[in-house]
Amino acid sequence: MLSNIRIVLVQTFHPGNIGQAARAMKTMGLSDLVLVNPRSFPDAEATRLAAGATDVIDNARVVEHIAQAVGDCVQVVGASARLRSLPLPHFDDPEPMASELIEHAQDAPVALVFGRERFGLTNDEIRHCTHQVSIPANPEYGVLNLAQAVQILAYEVRRAWRHHQASPATSQTPPSLPTRDQMAHFEAHLHEALVTSGFLTQPHARTEDHLRALFARAQPSRKELSILRGVLSTLEKAGSNPRSSS
Ligand code: SAH
């Protein structure tokens, strides 16, 4: 189950932070590290600061875009010190976030995503997440060092995993959620239908962000998502040939 929990670091500037994040992960039993466009990697400083966790560094995968890092994941939680303007479901306490993540990690990969040292995650990157989480730190100075944020959330995940191990019978396996790739196909299909039908006229309106938040809250199962896609296809056909549906 812990092997299904991925840590994603987006465009990390200091290689030392990658090393320290790897160490933080290994102390909590996590091993799947994906780096999105790091400034410098592989890097001697990253390896040095990983200490006994050089295996995590050696097995880290490097990708160019966040979509490649989380496409196969069923839940993706972006860690952020500040609330952004996007209306995504938000955990202001890491504990319930970690228990949910552990539930979903039973049968598919899930991810925790961390932003850049300078300016965190962009709104476009947060759109690839299903949820956001903040560590409730000092409101006057609540931004943690990247690797320390990884350490705290990795610890919460380990704690939730230990609870789950201790009482597995009480927790039911949730229905299989779609991967982010499957969700992205659905969103693209929905976008097309909304534009073709004339519902969406302003391409930059927030409507789609709200719909995305709605689906993130509802967490449709794979089956429900395929029903929704079927509905879209049928409505599209009816729309292009209105008489046949009368
Ligand atoms: N200056 C950036 C924060 C960079 S800290 C900003 O204001 O957004 C680097 C990363 O550590 C953040 O992107 C986030 O993923 C994580 N992080 C730092 N403090 C955090 C907190 N209080 N809660 C959740 N994540 C945090």
Side-chain angles (χ1 to χ4, degrees):
M1 195 189 287
L2 288 181
S3 62
N4 266 343
I5 299 190
R6 181 175 305 159
I7 298 293
V8 176
L9 305 182
V10 178
Q11 234 186 9
T12 308
F13 189 84
H14 296 294
N17 276 336
I18 299 176
Q20 286 180 315
R23 181 175 183 175
M25 286 170 62
K26 188 165 180 179
T27 58
M28 297 299 137
L30 305 184
S31 53
D32 188 9
L33 176 60
V34 176
L35 308 169
V36 180
N37 241 338
R39 184 177 60 87
S40 170
F41 190 82
D43 188 285
E45 184 73 351
T47 305
R48 189 174 72 78
L49 287 174
T54 48
D55 52 336
V56 176
I57 290 286
D58 293 342
N59 293 325
R61 285 178 292 133
V62 175
V63 297
E64 279 184 7
H65 192 269
I66 185 171
Q68 299 162 288
V70 302
D72 60 338
C73 293
V74 296
Q75 191 167 22
V76 178
V77 183
S80 158
R82 303 175 272 152
L83 266 187
R84 301 282 162 150
S85 48
L86 285 185
L88 263 195
H90 184 267
F91 290 100
D92 50 17
D93 180 348
E95 197 180 323
M97 179 283 294
S99 342
E100 231 187 78
L101 210 61
I102 283 289
E103 290 296 327
H104 293 302
Q106 286 179 71
D107 59 2
V110 297
L112 277 168
V113 180
F114 296 84
R116 304 155 182 78
E117 294 91 334
R118 279 276 176 78
F119 58 95
L121 295 167
T122 64
N123 277 349
D124 264 347
E125 286 155 357
I126 293 174
R127 284 194 180 92
H128 289 271
C129 300
T130 58
H131 296 77
Q132 285 181 276
V133 66
S134 301
I135 299 162
N138 178 0
E140 279 157 36
Y141 185 59
V143 180
L144 282 75
N145 160 269
L146 171 61
Q148 289 172 350
V150 171
Q151 182 75 75
I152 287 178
L153 295 187
Y155 171 66
E156 291 288 350
V157 164
R158 185 171 186 83
R159 227 153 63 108
W161 171 73
R162 278 163 51 87
H163 287 154
H164 188 276
Q165 298 294 98
S167 54
T170 57
S171 52
Q172 292 174 341
T173 312
S176 295
L177 295 182
T179 64
R180 295 311 291 155
D181 279 344
Q182 289 167 333
M183 212 53 213
H185 283 131
F186 167 70
E187 282 167 7
H189 191 172
L190 181 63
H191 174 80
E192 223 176 274
L194 293 178
V195 171
T196 316
S197 66
F199 181 84
L200 262 195
T201 47
Q202 295 167 305
H204 301 299
R206 307 290 309 275
T207 313
E208 288 181 282
D209 281 338
H210 287 288
L211 288 172
R212 204 171 283 119
L214 167 68
F215 292 119
R217 275 204 313 280
Q219 296 201 322
S221 65
R222 285 185 194 197
K223 179 152 183 87
E224 289 160 344
L225 197 72
S226 88
I227 294 173
L228 283 171
R229 289 202 70 176
V231 169
L232 279 183
S233 302
T234 310
L235 290 178
E236 278 176 331
K237 271 188 223 137
S240 63
N241 188 7
R243 254 181 258 156
S244 70
S245 64
S246 64

